[in-house]
């Protein structure tokens, strides 16, 4: 594998590259607001321009560190990874939950969300009856806590 | 006289049954979250945050204080019994407690941890009661350029205290600063970074950031693992603790000595005052100092109660110190006080010298809760619950994390009645997940977000006062003082890095 290929496959680049793009969009939007100093007065774009500059410098330092130190020697997160796609499934499931929470209401989406979460966090499809019972209890407990104890009006079907 | 009356009223407030219930419930919740590896008291208070909208402010602050104290000491339980610190602040306790456990003295080690936590926590809470009003007087002396330099000092200390990578600390702090600029400008009626959407004009809600960065990201981190329980049942059964062995002999307590307990408490309290320092730094510094000054330094790392006493006294005393900058200046001393600051802001209370002068009656129940939690609840809970705690923290992960997810997401909705804020919580959770995976410190993100608006406001105001000349930051004495302090800290912590402990 060439050095270029190694670097492209280096997961450590994900965060700095994403932030480089985000900072550039941020800076462009800031400059479009107004010049940083106008008639001797600091405008709304002054601070964003300053912090964008700081961000670029910091990102360059991180990219330099990544270029200097191979991935194998870097010693990244010490967390063991058994399920690399676990976070992706949780994110998609949570997104779906938020969407159905807003359209269908609290009870059904929460029950199915909790049920599917117990499958993702637990040992897959083992003990489905227990997971279903736990989901029911957690959904009910959530309603008791928010709906009754704290008097929060949770969404229901056709209420929004 | 007013001051003493306020203290007495603070303790009297705890006698009300509902407030007492919140203190005890908060303590038990904090104990659970602090003991379970992977959970922290920061997460507990982050989940409590949306509920504070519906709670009386006194009850909310009392609960937060007891969660804070409990979370700081309960990490020593799993640290001692199975060598897995429940909280980062218990890492030094694991170094001494686990070897003691291995030679059958686990209960005694926990007894030492409880006594030290009790002493340190009580000293820290008492110091807070007397120092906090004085700090308000000091805060009144700081002018606009000084306030900018103070916040700048706080952010620099937070960044360099992360130790692993200063660049990464700068990056996450700057992300927080950038997110804080979304919405209406701090000084002019100009909308920034709304990208044409009306919903971003209101800015990013602190709730979404906290829930996302702490709760959602934790779920995503834990989703990488396939484990059935938080603590393996085999480890639970292999580590029995008998209650009768819990109380350490008086001779050992005398051997540690009042001086060592108090010294550790003072170290912890002072470190707590430093922005962003936290319990783990307090424990580490106190432990290192105890080893340096010990008559028997060769015993450290092999199971000495002196080490446990130093670490636990300091990390619990830190709780009191961390409130000082938060209440006097609105600058959090550690991650937990950062979220407690959120509780105050949600309830329309802005920490600062005026707040301290006019709202002391709101704060003293919280101080009293900190004191009572340390003096009574810590030793009582260790003695009563210690033998059962390993079983209690061995929870099915699927049930635990799905419960946390529901509380976090529905809490984000309950606080704001906004689906958009739930979406933002998820987005911040994903961002924080990737940051944490690559060892970027997410606490800097939160503190950058909190302190960003004030930093910008004081910077622009100071430059307006001086007609654009940055020399105002050097000619104002208070500003010069904080800038000099920044340089001193930078020199000692970065340029002259502390040598690593040869025994570790």
């Amino acid at each position: 594998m060439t050095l270029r290929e190694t670097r492209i496959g280096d997961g450590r680049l994900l965060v700095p590259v994403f932030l480089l793009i985000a900072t550039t969009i941020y800076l462009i939007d800031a400059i479009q607001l107004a010049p940083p100093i106008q008639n001797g007065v600091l405008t709304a774009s002054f601070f964003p321009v300053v912090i964008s500059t700081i961000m670029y410098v910091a990102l360059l330092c991180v990219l330099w560190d990544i270029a200097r130190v191979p991935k194998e020697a870097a010693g990244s997160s010490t967390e063991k990874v058994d399920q690399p796609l676990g976070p992706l499934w949780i994110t998609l499931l949570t997104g779906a939950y938020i969407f159905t929470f807003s359209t269908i209401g609290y009870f059904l989406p929460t029950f199915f969300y909790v049920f599917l979460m117990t499958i993702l966090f637990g040992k897959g499809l083992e003990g489905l009856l227990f997971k279903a019972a736990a989901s029911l209890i957690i959904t009910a407990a959530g309603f008791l806590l928010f709906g009754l104890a704290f008097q929060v009006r949770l969404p229901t079907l056709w209420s929004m | 006289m007013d001051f003493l009356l306020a203290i007495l009223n603070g303790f009297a407030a705890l006698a009300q049954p509902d407030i007492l219930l919140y203190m005890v419930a908060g303590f038990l919740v904090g104990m659970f979250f602090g003991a379970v590896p992977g959970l922290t008291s920061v997460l507990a208070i982050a989940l409590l945050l949306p509920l504070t909208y519906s709670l009386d402010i006194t009850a909310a602050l009392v609960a937060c204080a007891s969660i804070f104290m409990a979370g700081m000491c309960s990490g020593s339980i799993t640290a001692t019994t199975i060598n897995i610190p429940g909280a980062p602040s218990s890492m030094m306790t694991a170094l001494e407690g686990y070897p003691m456990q291995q030679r059958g003295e686990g209960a005694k080690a926990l007894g030492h941890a409880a006594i030290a936590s009790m002493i340190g926590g009580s000293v820290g809470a008492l110091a807070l009661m007397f120092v906090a009003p004085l700090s308000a007087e000091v805060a009144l002396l700081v002018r606009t350029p000084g306030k900018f330099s103070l916040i700048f000092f706080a952010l620099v200390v937070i960044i360099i205290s992360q130790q692993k990578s200063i660049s990464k600390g700068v990056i996450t702090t700057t992300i927080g600063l950038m997110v804080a600029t979304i919405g209406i400008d701090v000084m002019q009626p100009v909308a920034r970074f709304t990208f044409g959407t009306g919903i971003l004009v209101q800015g990013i809600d602190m709730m979404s950031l906290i829930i996302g960065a702490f709760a959602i990201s934790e779920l995503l981190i834990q989703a990488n693992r396939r484990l059935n329980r938080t603590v393996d049942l085999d480890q639970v059964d292999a580590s029995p603790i008998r209650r009768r062995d819990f109380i350490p002999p008086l001779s050992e307590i005398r051997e540690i000595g009042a001086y060592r307990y108090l010294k550790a408490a003072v170290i912890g309290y002072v470190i707590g005052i430093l922005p962003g320092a936290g319990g783990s730094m307090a424990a580490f510094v106190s432990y290192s100092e105890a080893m340096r000054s010990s008559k028997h330094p060769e015993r450290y790392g092999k199971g000495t109660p002196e080490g446990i006493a130093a670490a636990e006294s300091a990390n619990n005393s830190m709780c009191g110190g961390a409130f000082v900058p938060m209440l006097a200046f609105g600058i959090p001393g550690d991650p937990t006080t950062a979220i407690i600051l959120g509780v105050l802001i949600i309830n329309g209370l802005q920490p600062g010298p005026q707040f301290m002068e006019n709202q002391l009656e709101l704060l003293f129940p919280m101080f009293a809760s900190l004191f009572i939690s340390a003096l009574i609840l810590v030793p009582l809970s260790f003695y009563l619950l210690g033998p059962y705690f390993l079983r209690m923290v061995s929870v099915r992960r699927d049930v635990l994390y799905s419960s946390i997810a529901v509380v976090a997401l529905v809490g984000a909705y309950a606080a704001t009645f906004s689906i958009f804020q739930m979406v933002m919580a998820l987005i911040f959770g994903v961002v924080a997940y990737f940051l944490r995976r690559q060892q970027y410190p997410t606490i800097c993100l939160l503190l950058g977000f909190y302190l960003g608006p004030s930093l910008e406001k004081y910077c622009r105001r100071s430059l307006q006062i001086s007609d654009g000349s940055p020399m105002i930051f050097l000619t104002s004495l208070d500003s010069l003082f904080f800038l000099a302090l920044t340089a001193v800290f930078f020199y000692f912590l970065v340029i002259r890095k502390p040598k690593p402990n040869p025994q570790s």
Side-chain angles (χ1 to χ4, degrees):
Chain A
M1 195 183 273
T2 64
L3 182 66
R4 185 164 173 272
E5 284 164 340
T6 312
R7 290 288 175 259
I8 287 171
D10 193 340
R12 294 176 298 162
L13 286 173
L14 184 64
V15 169
V17 168
F18 172 78
L19 288 174
L20 263 175
I21 296 168
T23 305
T24 305
I25 295 171
Y26 180 86
L27 182 62
I28 291 170
D29 202 61
I31 291 169
Q32 285 175 343
L33 277 172
I37 301 173
Q38 199 168 37
N39 302 325
V41 174
L42 300 179
T43 65
S45 68
F46 173 78
F47 195 69
V49 168
V50 169
I51 58 178
S52 301
T53 310
I54 294 170
M55 179 66 103
Y56 279 130
V57 171
L59 285 171
L60 279 172
C61 293
V62 166
L63 287 169
W64 174 251
D65 283 339
I66 291 172
R68 266 188 326 121
V69 179
K71 186 179 177 183
E72 295 74 28
S76 61
S77 170
T78 52
E79 299 268 356
K80 200 175 156 206
V81 175
D82 305 314
Q83 302 185 117
L85 292 181
L88 175 64
W89 292 124
I90 299 294
T91 304
L92 292 172
L93 185 61
T94 304
Y97 172 62
I98 294 172
F99 176 72
T100 51
F101 182 88
S102 64
T103 50
I104 299 174
Y106 170 79
F107 290 99
L108 275 178
T110 303
F111 172 78
F112 284 110
Y113 177 63
V114 174
F115 183 66
L116 291 170
M117 287 283 271
T118 56
I119 290 173
L120 285 171
F121 273 106
K123 288 190 172 179
L125 298 173
E126 278 181 34
L128 284 180
L129 203 59
F130 175 87
K131 288 179 193 307
S135 305
L136 202 61
I137 292 168
I138 291 168
T139 305
F143 177 72
L144 286 171
L145 178 66
F146 289 103
L148 296 180
F150 291 103
Q151 299 284 305
V152 174
R153 190 173 158 271
L154 294 169
T156 54
L157 190 58
W158 296 310
S159 68
M160 298 185 83
Chain B
M1 193 64 185
D2 286 343
F3 173 72
L4 285 173
L5 208 59
I7 295 179
L8 289 171
N9 284 336
F11 280 96
L14 294 185
Q16 294 171 46
D18 54 338
I19 303 292
L20 185 64
L21 181 66
Y22 279 112
M23 183 178 72
V24 174
F27 189 87
L28 293 173
V29 166
M31 195 135 219
F32 177 78
F33 273 77
V36 174
L39 302 183
T40 59
S41 59
V42 177
L43 178 59
I45 297 184
L47 294 175
L48 177 69
L49 192 65
L51 304 178
T52 59
Y53 274 106
S54 314
L55 278 180
D56 169 53
I57 180 65
T58 303
L61 291 176
V62 160
C64 286
S66 58
I67 290 174
F68 193 12
M69 189 62 72
M72 205 52 64
C73 69
S74 62
S76 61
I77 295 172
T78 46
T80 298
T81 48
I82 53 173
N83 202 24
I84 301 175
S89 55
S90 305
M91 280 190 293
M92 310 318 293
T93 308
L95 279 181
E96 303 300 339
Y98 188 63
M100 287 182 73
Q101 166 72 14
Q102 285 181 310
R103 56 175 192 253
E105 294 177 328
K108 192 168 71 167
L110 287 176
H112 277 294
I115 288 168
S117 297
M118 176 184 76
I119 294 171
S122 305
V123 167
L126 282 174
L128 173 64
M129 285 184 210
F130 290 97
V131 167
L134 293 174
S135 64
E137 302 285 330
V138 170
L140 281 169
L141 300 173
V142 182
R143 301 293 177 205
T144 304
K147 286 177 184 171
F148 166 81
S149 300
L150 172 61
I151 296 173
F152 178 74
F153 163 72
L155 289 174
V156 169
V157 169
I158 288 159
I159 289 167
I160 62 182
S161 67
Q162 300 310 311
Q163 294 173 352
K164 280 183 182 156
S165 168
I166 290 175
S167 311
K168 289 181 176 177
V170 170
I171 285 170
T172 46
T173 306
T174 314
I175 293 173
L177 294 173
M178 285 177 167
V179 172
T181 58
I182 297 172
I184 301 293
D185 178 54
V186 292
M187 291 180 69
Q188 296 167 354
V190 172
R192 296 189 293 192
F193 311 108
T194 58
F195 301 101
T197 62
I199 203 160
L200 284 176
V201 172
Q202 64 190 337
I204 301 297
D205 195 272
M206 169 187 57
M207 191 78 62
S208 343
L209 186 74
I210 291 172
I211 297 279
F214 290 95
I216 307 293
S217 70
E218 185 61 33
L219 293 176
L220 297 177
I221 293 275
Q222 295 299 331
N224 273 134
R225 303 297 310 278
R226 188 177 271 282
L227 292 169
N228 200 23
R229 288 184 168 268
T230 50
V231 174
D232 205 352
L233 277 174
D234 292 338
Q235 289 178 309
V236 170
D237 294 331
S239 316
I241 297 173
R242 294 177 302 181
R243 196 180 276 131
R244 66 173 183 264
D245 300 326
F246 209 83
I247 301 171
L250 205 57
S251 56
E252 285 186 12
I253 297 172
R254 261 197 241 113
E255 195 183 330
I256 295 170
Y259 173 70
R260 281 206 186 88
Y261 283 115
L262 286 174
K263 184 168 79 167
V266 168
I267 289 172
Y269 184 80
V270 169
I271 287 176
I273 293 175
L274 293 176
S280 45
M281 185 185 276
F284 173 73
V285 172
S286 176
Y287 178 88
S288 303
E289 169 56 23
M291 184 166 64
R292 185 201 65 79
S293 59
S294 172
K295 286 178 201 159
H296 302 283
E298 72 283 356
R299 290 182 190 169
Y300 280 70
K302 296 172 189 159
T304 172
E306 255 183 41
I308 295 175
E312 288 298 316
S313 182
N315 69 23
N316 279 86
S317 181
M318 184 281 307
C319 296
F323 277 103
V324 173
M326 191 270 274
L327 295 171
F329 300 103
I331 296 173
D334 92 314
T336 311
T337 46
I339 301 182
I340 296 175
L341 177 61
V343 173
L344 291 169
I345 293 171
I346 280 168
N347 285 275
L349 302 166
Q350 185 59 45
Q354 281 78 26
F355 174 70
M356 295 285 281
E357 271 194 40
N358 303 328
Q359 305 272 15
L360 266 184
E361 72 279 3
L362 263 179
L363 295 175
F364 272 108
M366 181 174 68
F367 297 166
S369 172
L370 215 56
F371 181 74
I372 298 294
S373 298
L375 189 68
I376 297 172
L377 295 182
V378 164
L380 196 62
S381 59
F382 267 64
Y383 184 73
L384 291 176
L385 301 175
Y388 310 112
F389 228 87
L390 273 191
R391 270 205 184 273
M392 286 158 67
V393 301
S394 175
V395 182
R396 282 180 66 122
R397 288 173 81 250
D398 50 358
V399 171
L400 176 67
Y401 290 115
S402 50
S403 304
I404 288 174
V406 169
V407 172
L409 289 166
V410 180
Y413 173 80
T416 56
F417 290 100
S418 167
I419 299 297
F420 174 73
Q421 298 299 344
M422 290 174 85
V423 173
M424 290 309 301
L426 178 61
I427 292 172
F428 281 121
V430 171
V431 169
Y433 164 74
F434 283 106
L435 290 174
R436 289 174 66 178
R437 288 287 304 166
Q438 295 299 327
Q439 297 182 303
Y440 289 77
T442 46
I443 184 58
C444 295
L445 192 157
L446 180 63
L447 292 168
F449 178 78
Y450 268 147
L451 299 174
S454 300
L455 186 74
E456 179 179 10
K457 183 173 67 179
Y458 295 134
C459 175
R460 285 165 68 180
R461 266 196 206 154
S462 301
L463 291 172
Q464 256 180 356
I465 293 167
S466 66
D467 292 324
S469 169
M471 292 305 291
I472 190 171
F473 298 113
L474 296 175
T475 54
S476 293
L477 278 179
D478 46 2
S479 172
L480 186 62
F481 171 74
F482 289 118
L483 289 176
L485 208 57
T486 308
V488 165
F489 270 80
F490 191 83
Y491 175 73
F492 281 105
L493 293 181
V494 178
I495 296 173
R496 264 188 68 179
K497 268 188 209 170
K499 291 191 185 112
N501 179 0
Q503 289 211 359
S504 66

